[in-house]
Amino acid sequence: MAEPKVLLNDFKRQWQEIGEEVVGAVEKVGASGWYILGSSVSSFERSLAKMVDCRYGIGCASGLDAIEIGLRVLGIKKGDRVLTTPLSAFATTLAIVRAGGRPVFVDTDECGLIDLDLCEEAFAGSSDIRFFVPVHLYGHSLDLVRLGKLKRRYGLRVVEDCAQSILARWDGRFTGSTGQVGATSFYPTKNLGVFGDGGAVLTNDSELYADCVSVRNYGQTSQYVHDVLGLNSRLDEIHAAVLKDVLLPRLADWTERRRAIAQAYREAVHNPRIRIPAPPASSDSCYHLFPVMVSSERRGAFQAYLEAAGVQNAIHYPHLITDQKALLRSDKLEVVGEMRCARRVADEEVSLPIHPFLNDAEVARVIDNVNSWQG
Ligand SMILES: *Cc1c(COP(=O)(O)O)cnc(C)c1O
C-alpha cells in the first residue's frame, strides 16, 4: 500500500493534538454568553502584542482587513500612491485598492522579497509616493534596519504585511513594529492559523490603536457614535479564545519545528537542478513556506515527480499581481521598471512541505525525493 501523502498542511494531525483543548475554549466562550468583542478578544490582543514586543494588537476579520485598516488609520486618501510588491497574496494589493490607494509596483530580489534598493529609488524619485506596504514573504524578515531608515528619511507611512511572518525577526527584532502598523492573518494555513478567518493589526502608537478599534467596529467611537466610516471587521470571541488558550502558547515550539525542518532541507538537499535561495542575511525566518527554485521548463515535471511520490507541493505565486486581470482592467496599475526577478520567482518557485506536524521520516522522504529527481 502506498504511504500516506506528505501534506503541505496537516489539519487533521493538528486537530488530534489540540482538538480537545479547542473544544474547551469554545465551551468557555459559549458559557460566557458573550460572543463579540469581549474579554477573549482583548486578552488575546494583549498576549499577541506582548509576544511580538509591540504595545497594541487589534483583532479583526482577516489579514486583508488588517492591511486596509492600517492604511486607513494612517490617513490614506483616495488616489494616494502606495509602493508594494508584485509577488504576494493578491490580498496585499486588494487591501490597498479597497483603502482607496493606487498600488505602485517595484521588482523583488532573487529570493522574491521586495527589493529595498528599488524602493529607495522610487521614494527618492517620486515625492508623492509616501505610503508603503512591504511584505515579509515566505516568513523571511525584510531588513528592518533599512526599512526603519527609509521610513524616517522619506517620511513614509508603512504597513508591514506580516501575514506570513509572525515571530520572524531581523537581528532579534520582530517584524510588525518597524512600520507604524503591522498586519497579520489567522487564515488556517498561516503559522498562527485558526479555524476560520481572522487577522490583527499591530502598533505601538496609542492614537492609531484607538483609531483601529473604531474602524474595525463601524467607525464607532462610543456606543452609537460614529466619527468615521468604518468596517465590520471584528475577530470573533470564539476564535480569540482558541488563539489565546490553544494556539498562541504553542506558536514558539511550532516555529522552532519549522526552523529545524528548514535546516534539515538546507543541509541535505543537494540536487544540482534545485536551488535554495538564501534568505536575507539577518532574517531569523519563521518559515511559513519553504521555496526552492527549478528551471521553468522543468518545473512541471518536478512537481509531478514529487506528487507521484506522495509529496504535496505548490507554487507561491504562479502569477504576478501586476498580471492579474482585476488590475489590468482597472486604471489601478502602475509599474516602476521591469518585474524581472519577481517573474523569475513566479516561473521557477516550488514550495516544499514545511509544517510543525511533519515527522522526521516525512522530512527524510521529501529530501530523498527531491534529491532523486533526475530532471
Ligand atoms: C494570507 C495573506 C494575506 C491575506 O490574509 P487573509 O487573512 O486571507 O485576508 C495578505 N498578505 C499575505 C502575504 C498573505 O499571505
Side-chain angles (χ1 to χ4, degrees):
M1 215 177 80
E3 288 177 279
K5 271 192 174 192
V6 183
L7 301 175
L8 281 167
N9 291 290
D10 198 331
F11 296 111
K12 287 186 179 159
R13 275 191 206 165
Q14 187 188 43
W15 185 257
Q16 276 167 12
E17 183 181 318
I18 66 174
E20 215 168 295
E21 286 180 48
V22 171
V23 171
V26 173
E27 268 179 340
K28 192 180 82 177
V29 174
S32 80
W34 193 285
Y35 305 142
I36 297 283
L37 297 183
S39 59
S40 295
V41 167
S42 46
S43 126
F44 166 65
E45 288 172 339
R46 282 192 300 273
S47 302
L48 175 71
K50 191 163 174 230
M51 187 171 280
V52 296
D53 284 347
C54 196
R55 281 178 69 192
Y56 305 104
I58 305 94
C60 63
S62 69
L64 187 156
D65 282 4
I67 301 167
E68 177 179 348
I69 292 169
L71 289 167
R72 282 176 172 235
V73 299
L74 288 176
I76 193 168
K77 296 187 306 300
K78 200 168 163 44
D80 279 344
R81 294 161 85 200
V82 184
L83 201 69
T84 192
T85 174
L87 195 75
S88 181
F90 189 70
T92 306
T93 288
L94 191 51
I96 293 170
V97 174
R98 275 196 1 190
R102 282 180 64 93
V104 179
F105 298 91
V106 292
D107 202 5
T108 65
D109 59 19
E110 306 273 318
C111 184
L113 278 79
I114 193 166
D115 184 328
L116 293 179
D117 289 332
L118 296 177
C119 292
E120 172 135 34
E121 282 176 28
F123 295 131
S126 312
S127 57
D128 69 335
I129 306 179
R130 286 300 173 261
F131 284 89
F132 188 25
V133 181
V135 179
H136 301 290
L137 197 70
Y138 302 140
H140 299 323
S141 175
L142 286 160
D143 180 342
L144 296 180
V145 177
R146 181 90 195 273
L147 182 60
K149 280 185 188 153
L150 289 176
K151 181 179 99 171
R152 285 188 301 278
R153 185 170 307 152
Y154 297 99
L156 305 178
R157 299 178 200 194
V158 181
V159 177
E160 292 177 63
D161 182 340
C162 304
Q164 302 187 358
S165 72
I166 195 82
L167 292 196
R169 288 191 279 195
W170 180 271
D171 258 346
R173 173 158 144 203
F174 290 104
T175 61
S177 45
T178 300
Q180 291 89 343
V181 172
T184 196
S185 164
F186 309 128
Y187 184 80
T189 61
K190 303 291 156 88
N191 290 23
L192 185 57
V194 77
F195 299 89
D197 278 303
V201 183
L202 297 165
T203 186
N204 281 322
D205 182 309
S206 58
E207 284 178 28
L208 293 177
Y209 167 70
D211 290 346
C212 289
V213 165
S214 160
V215 170
R216 73 160 169 202
N217 192 27
Y218 319 128
Q220 192 168 269
T221 41
S222 57
Q223 202 175 17
Y224 305 129
V225 176
H226 301 264
D227 291 352
V228 292
L229 297 171
L231 308 170
N232 173 350
S233 181
R234 299 173 298 229
L235 181 66
D236 291 320
E237 280 284 287
I238 284 182
H239 284 154
V242 172
L243 282 159
K244 165 74 174 36
D245 295 350
V246 188
L247 303 174
L248 210 50
R250 290 177 165 84
L251 184 62
D253 285 348
W254 283 345
T255 304
E256 282 315 311
R257 179 65 185 149
R258 286 174 184 270
R259 287 176 177 145
I261 295 167
Q263 174 86 3
Y265 286 163
R266 242 172 238 299
E267 282 167 7
V269 168
H270 50 65
N271 186 331
R273 297 161 200 86
I274 309 288
R275 255 184 328 114
I276 301 181
S282 299
S283 167
D284 186 12
S285 304
C286 67
Y287 290 98
H288 173 59
L289 295 169
F290 193 87
V292 301
M293 306 293 172
V294 53
S295 77
S296 56
E297 312 83 65
R298 289 159 151 188
R299 179 168 67 176
F302 178 56
Q303 288 196 275
Y305 181 87
L306 291 182
E307 197 63 49
V311 176
Q312 254 193 357
N313 60 87
I315 301 172
H316 297 92
Y317 292 87
H319 307 292
L320 296 189
I321 291 173
T322 45
D323 290 340
Q324 298 287 358
K325 267 191 200 156
L327 284 184
L328 295 172
R329 280 199 186 124
S330 71
D331 60 349
K332 298 275 187 326
L333 184 61
E334 187 181 341
V335 174
V336 180
E338 302 215 10
M339 303 294 110
R340 201 177 48 78
C341 284
R343 197 166 296 287
R344 184 155 178 217
V345 175
D347 289 343
E348 299 189 343
E349 195 270 352
V350 175
S351 300
L352 302 181
I354 187 160
H355 65 75
F357 306 98
L358 287 176
N359 58 43
D360 291 346
E362 289 167 322
V363 173
R365 238 175 97 194
V366 174
I367 292 167
D368 289 346
N369 282 295
V370 170
N371 284 337
S372 64
W373 182 58
Q374 301 288 331

